[in-house]
Amino acid sequence: MAERWRPETHTFHLPEGEMTITLKDVAILTGMPISGDAIIGPQTKPEGGWGPLIRDHLGFDMPTTTPIQGRGHPPLNAGQVSVPWLVSHIQQEVVINDETPEEQVERYARIYLIGLVGGFLFPDKSNRWIQGIWLELLTGDWDAIGQKSWGSAVLAGLYRELCTCSKVGAKQAGAAMFILQLWVWEHLPMFAPADPRPYRRNDDELNFLQNLPYGVK
């Protein structure tokens, strides 16, 4: 599909004609909002760097000198935050129960969102780092996070990455390529896998799926 992408028109050139991924596709396949405030992040680091922001909103200090295991960079390095380090922090140290303070639950939720955004919706080609600019968006006003047009931003990132990886010599791609995969399965059914377990789905499971984005089904 990358070889059939035309950066001039942001469309796939196919034998049957031109097609492209639309905002409606993103909304139906993923359930992400496509209306609301635009995703606009700061272009520079805040005064004092990202460390104080992480400490104030996430409740812990990220090492800036200890390299990640198997890597030569610390978890907080040059305006980037290690997604695997955040995920491991949740898995190793976080236990949530009925007695956990609401403030602490909110902090853990922010860590989860940072990992989701950096490792799934806007991943780099290594799938290991999230740019520090996302921290300010995800540590700001809690209610405002869900009112932003995340679907629009993810689609814009996907378009840009398709333009980059369609060039001669490109070997890797970042961005939310899972949306492209789901889109191909939906609109070009000859490439879609058969349902691996059509005979196992009972009424309870089908009712559960009705409340999830179409891409989950």
Side-chain angles (χ1 to χ4, degrees), residues 64-214:
T64 57
T65 57
T66 305
I68 304 171
Q69 185 176 7
R71 298 281 178 172
H73 304 290
L76 182 59
N77 179 62
Q80 300 182 108
V81 177
S82 168
V83 174
W85 193 92
L86 287 174
V87 172
S88 65
H89 179 81
I90 295 178
Q91 293 174 341
Q92 295 175 8
E93 301 183 24
V94 174
V95 177
I96 298 178
N97 52 45
D98 294 338
E99 299 178 357
T100 305
E102 183 176 350
E103 180 182 359
Q104 194 72 357
V105 174
E106 183 176 307
R107 285 178 173 177
Y108 296 157
R110 290 185 189 276
I111 297 173
Y112 174 82
L113 287 177
I114 291 171
L116 178 68
V117 168
F120 193 60
L121 299 182
F122 300 95
D124 64 3
K125 292 180 176 62
S126 70
N127 204 30
R128 295 186 61 87
W129 299 97
I130 178 175
Q131 296 296 321
I133 59 172
W134 293 109
L135 295 177
E136 217 161 312
L137 287 172
L138 297 173
T139 56
D141 181 75
W142 185 250
D143 293 328
I145 295 175
Q147 297 174 1
K148 295 184 180 296
S149 181
W150 290 99
S152 303
V154 170
L155 182 60
L158 180 59
Y159 272 23
R160 184 171 70 172
E161 192 61 28
L162 282 170
C163 291
T164 300
C165 73
S166 63
K167 296 178 181 179
V168 175
K171 298 180 181 180
Q172 293 177 307
M177 286 297 173
F178 75 95
I179 295 178
L180 172 59
Q181 183 180 30
L182 293 175
W183 181 86
V184 169
W185 289 356
E186 174 63 18
H187 293 281
L188 304 175
M190 71 286 291
F191 297 117
D195 191 332
R197 45 176 201 158
Y199 53 89
R200 295 184 185 177
R201 291 192 167 166
N202 53 43
D203 291 340
D204 290 338
E205 184 177 6
L206 291 175
N207 290 335
F208 175 72
L209 289 174
Q210 294 302 317
N211 299 320
L212 297 177
Y214 186 74

